[in-house]
Amino acid sequence: MSGFMNRLAPIRTARSVCPHDCPSTCALDIEVLPGERIGRVRGAKDDPYTAGVICEKVARYAERVHHPDRLLYPMRRTGPKGAGQWQRIGWDEALDEIGDRFRAIEAEWGAEAIWPYCYAGTMGHVQRDGLDRLRHVKGYSDQYDTICVMISWSGYMAGTGMMTGTNPEQIAEADCVVIWGTNPVATQINVMTHATRARRERGAKLVVVDIYRTATMEQADMALLLRPGSDGALACAVMHVLLRDGLADRKYMAAFTDFSDELADHLATKTPEWAAETTGLSVAEIEAFAHLVGTTPRTFFRLGYGFTRQRNGATNMHAALSIPAMTGAWRHRGGGAFHSHSGAWGLDKSAITGKPFRREGVRALDHSRIGAVLTGDAEALQGGGPVKALLIQNTNPMVVTPDHALTRAGFLREDLFTVVHEQFMTETAEMADIVLPATMFVEHNDYYTRGGHTRVLFGPKLIAAPGEARPNHFVINEIARRVGAEAAVTEKADRELVAETFSRSRYPTLEEVEKTGFVERALPDGRDRYVDGFGWPDGKF
């Protein structure tokens, strides 16, 4: 009878937020079921950007949370690396072994022989960035984050001087939407929500620039399928046409950009015929695109990461971003460009990251070159000693980093002590000496920022974790205790760290934020479009 009554217990809906490395960072409404389970996951309808729409992957998140293959207990490797031979151990035994090995390695090789390695498996700042607190206190090797945003942000900042742009909700107010180097139908569905609204309500044209015939390109009014790496050539040819045909806003450029005669002379040689040879597009396609954006003041450029993942990625980003600066699209609501809102958070995360403890002179190893680092490349090691231990959270470098064969060879080193804190037995976890079970986003407290929009969101703990899974915050504290890094230990729970960070950042209190689920960080209309000048000291793009 009690089991029957339990099944009839009321289902409550709780507000949360998607933890994945996606610019949408969707606001979620999650069914919380009896027995520490979640049910349906829906997009929050009252969030103006999510607008009730989420991707299929997150809609089925209950399958992931309650998957039978989740890691539930700490384990020690008992056979060769990668052979899948494991022994279940207790948390204290696992943590004590980690502490002992780390202290011994530090004593013999120095603190930089230990490399805490992490990224964006969760976008919650407490659980994602807390590893830096241990890193800084101990002087372990730092990490230069090159996998994702470094190149694209450099190109965007070169133009605007600030990492923000036109509020993405204004996509719905555009008369032309240019989606460049991203496939939002598959990876950021909310961009399409607002672009579709612009098409339906305003008859807006959708232009898609990419190197594959993606699902997004299939929906385009104008599909520009170009050769990889040639985006900058297309942008230069577009600007050539804008200048040649009197479509450039000369008055705007004089007031708000550093456009010069030298640049004009340079662009005079970048004809559509020249660009056609480089890009693989036809001259007619290039001319048509240039005339569309040149005659449509409300053109919104949604610039993605995809076209920057190459050697000339920063240049390509800056070139594409220069087009709305030449047309003056920034002057109009629904016009301008957007890549990330990260420059507007104003967060003081020092309680999470331990930034005051950061030491000068500690080497920062290149995230993307983990294969070279682990196989002893002197340049990658910056002339220092070898890496003898890894502490990995929130990433799967055996899959996501370049030079896979080199990465695999490094992980197979028998003298490398590897600890992986994970939700599943990933390819990287299979190479570990100690594997620790990790929580998922509904099993801990955290806050999340939106690269693709303007809100900071709070995601509360909704259910208990299965088995002995523990959050990153717990693991960092417990290892810190065992390696003599008392300054890295915080007695504050994850929820308390969220509250302290909000307080330090002059945000509303966590209790206030929890009522709505978010902190709005949108810039005033106009400021996000740089109507009073760009982010550089002279105000010029």
Side-chain angles (χ1 to χ4, degrees):
M1 185 66 176
S2 62
F4 175 75
M5 293 300 292
N6 190 47
R7 288 195 296 274
L8 293 181
I11 298 173
R12 71 183 179 94
T13 299
R15 176 56 56 87
S16 189
V17 50
C18 177
H20 287 302
D21 188 7
C22 165
S24 288
T25 316
C26 291
L28 306 176
D29 286 330
I30 299 179
E31 291 180 349
V32 182
L33 310 179
E36 303 296 343
R37 298 184 67 83
I38 65 168
R40 290 285 302 275
V41 179
R42 300 179 175 89
K45 291 183 178 179
D46 60 351
D47 183 279
Y49 191 67
T50 300
V53 179
I54 56 172
C55 66
E56 182 181 3
K57 175 174 68 177
V58 175
R60 299 173 58 185
Y61 218 97
E63 297 177 25
R64 179 178 176 86
V65 171
H66 304 300
H67 199 283
D69 292 341
R70 276 195 68 176
L71 293 172
L72 300 178
Y73 310 102
M75 293 184 292
R76 177 192 293 121
R77 178 172 61 86
T78 59
K81 291 191 175 186
Q85 298 172 5
W86 301 96
Q87 170 193 18
R88 177 179 168 181
I89 58 177
W91 267 102
D92 284 337
E93 186 177 358
L95 292 165
D96 288 345
E97 181 171 341
I98 294 167
D100 290 344
R101 292 291 297 272
F102 279 14
R103 287 198 309 273
I105 289 169
E106 181 181 0
E108 182 175 359
W109 297 93
E112 289 185 347
I114 299 167
W115 191 14
Y117 189 95
C118 59
Y119 207 55
T122 175
M123 292 297 282
H125 290 208
V126 173
Q127 311 296 343
R128 185 190 71 189
D129 299 332
L131 192 56
D132 281 341
R133 197 168 63 250
L134 173 63
R135 182 199 314 276
H136 295 331
V137 169
K138 287 297 296 180
Y140 294 156
S141 280
D142 210 339
Q143 176 176 288
Y144 185 45
D145 293 339
T146 56
I147 280 182
C148 186
V149 303
M150 189 66 68
I151 294 176
S152 64
W153 284 14
S154 298
Y156 194 93
M157 286 287 289
T160 62
M162 185 175 177
M163 187 49 63
T164 190
T166 305
N167 190 324
E169 292 174 33
Q170 291 186 30
I171 292 174
E173 301 178 43
D175 294 321
C176 176
V177 180
V178 179
I179 296 176
W180 198 322
T182 184
N183 182 21
V185 164
T187 63
Q188 197 186 160
I189 192 65
N190 308 92
V191 169
M192 297 307 296
T193 299
H194 299 284
T196 299
R197 182 180 162 197
R199 297 175 89 178
R200 182 179 65 247
E201 297 178 2
R202 303 179 61 84
K205 298 297 184 183
L206 177 62
V207 181
V208 178
V209 185
D210 215 321
I211 62 170
Y212 300 108
R213 192 165 293 283
T214 63
T216 306
M217 188 172 280
E218 293 295 338
Q219 296 192 23
D221 298 295
M222 182 180 292
L224 300 177
L225 186 66
L226 43 64
R227 293 180 181 135
S230 65
D231 307 79
L234 170 61
C236 284
V238 168
M239 289 188 281
H240 170 97
V241 174
L242 294 173
L243 293 168
R244 183 196 70 193
D245 296 350
L247 299 174
D249 189 333
R250 296 276 186 172
K251 185 176 179 181
Y252 180 85
M253 286 196 294
F256 290 99
T257 80
D258 63 358
F259 184 78
S260 64
D261 291 340
E262 182 183 10
L263 179 55
D265 291 342
H266 174 75
L267 291 173
T269 68
K270 306 307 178 187
T271 64
E273 291 76 13
W274 166 84
E277 292 185 12
T278 303
T279 63
L281 298 171
S282 69
V283 170
E285 286 177 305
I286 296 170
E287 297 261 4
F289 178 41
H291 277 265
L292 176 61
V293 299
T295 58
T296 311
R298 291 176 183 259
T299 296
F300 191 110
F301 285 76
R302 184 57 175 90
L303 303 173
Y305 291 92
F307 75 114
T308 70
R309 302 204 189 286
Q310 51 201 306
R311 289 188 185 276
N312 63 343
T315 302
N316 283 347
M317 170 64 79
H318 181 260
L321 183 64
S322 295
I323 297 173
M326 183 170 281
T327 65
W330 292 101
R331 294 188 294 115
H332 310 279
R333 280 187 62 88
F338 182 85
H339 176 61
S340 172
H341 193 60
S342 305
W345 303 134
L347 284 160
D348 180 347
K349 302 198 301 183
S350 55
I352 296 171
T353 65
K355 186 177 180 180
F357 298 104
R358 187 171 189 171
R359 306 182 187 191
E360 294 294 328
V362 174
R363 67 182 177 182
L365 301 175
D366 190 329
H367 206 210
S368 296
R369 302 196 67 202
I370 186 172
V373 167
L374 295 183
T375 53
D377 183 281
E379 181 187 9
L381 289 167
Q382 299 176 19
V387 167
K388 290 287 186 175
L390 292 169
L391 173 56
I392 298 175
Q393 291 183 323
N394 314 326
T395 188
N396 186 12
M398 279 289 294
V399 170
V400 302
T401 56
D403 299 317
H404 175 74
L406 206 60
T407 300
R408 180 176 178 81
F411 271 97
L412 284 171
R413 280 173 37 203
E414 281 300 327
D415 68 328
L416 177 69
F417 178 64
T418 302
V419 179
V420 176
H421 186 206
E422 253 295 358
Q423 298 165 350
F424 292 92
M425 186 60 75
T426 63
E427 294 82 353
T428 302
E430 289 172 351
M431 293 291 187
D433 298 280
I434 299 287
V435 173
L436 305 172
T439 50
M440 292 191 185
F441 76 108
V442 290
E443 298 158 1
H444 55 240
N445 296 286
D446 217 328
Y447 74 91
Y448 304 79
T449 52
R450 273 180 163 166
H453 198 44
T454 62
R455 289 181 170 183
V456 177
L457 302 98
F458 175 61
K461 179 178 178 178
L462 301 179
I463 60 174
E468 297 178 7
R470 299 288 184 270
N472 295 2
H473 182 57
F474 168 86
V475 171
I476 294 159
N477 272 340
E478 292 304 314
I479 292 177
R481 287 189 173 97
R482 286 163 170 82
V483 296
E486 290 302 321
V489 178
T490 173
E491 301 303 328
K492 292 184 183 336
D494 50 16
R495 180 185 172 89
E496 293 173 306
L497 269 184
V498 173
E500 181 177 352
T501 300
F502 284 1
S503 175
R504 287 171 177 254
S505 307
R506 299 183 180 181
Y507 279 23
T509 66
L510 176 55
E511 290 71 27
E512 293 177 79
V513 173
E514 204 164 12
K515 293 175 184 176
T516 59
F518 67 89
V519 179
E520 181 60 74
R521 295 294 295 178
L523 298 177
D525 181 44
R527 187 178 171 200
D528 61 346
R529 292 184 284 109
Y530 303 103
V531 296
D532 295 319
F534 289 88
W536 294 110
D538 64 359
K540 300 291 185 74
F541 178 92

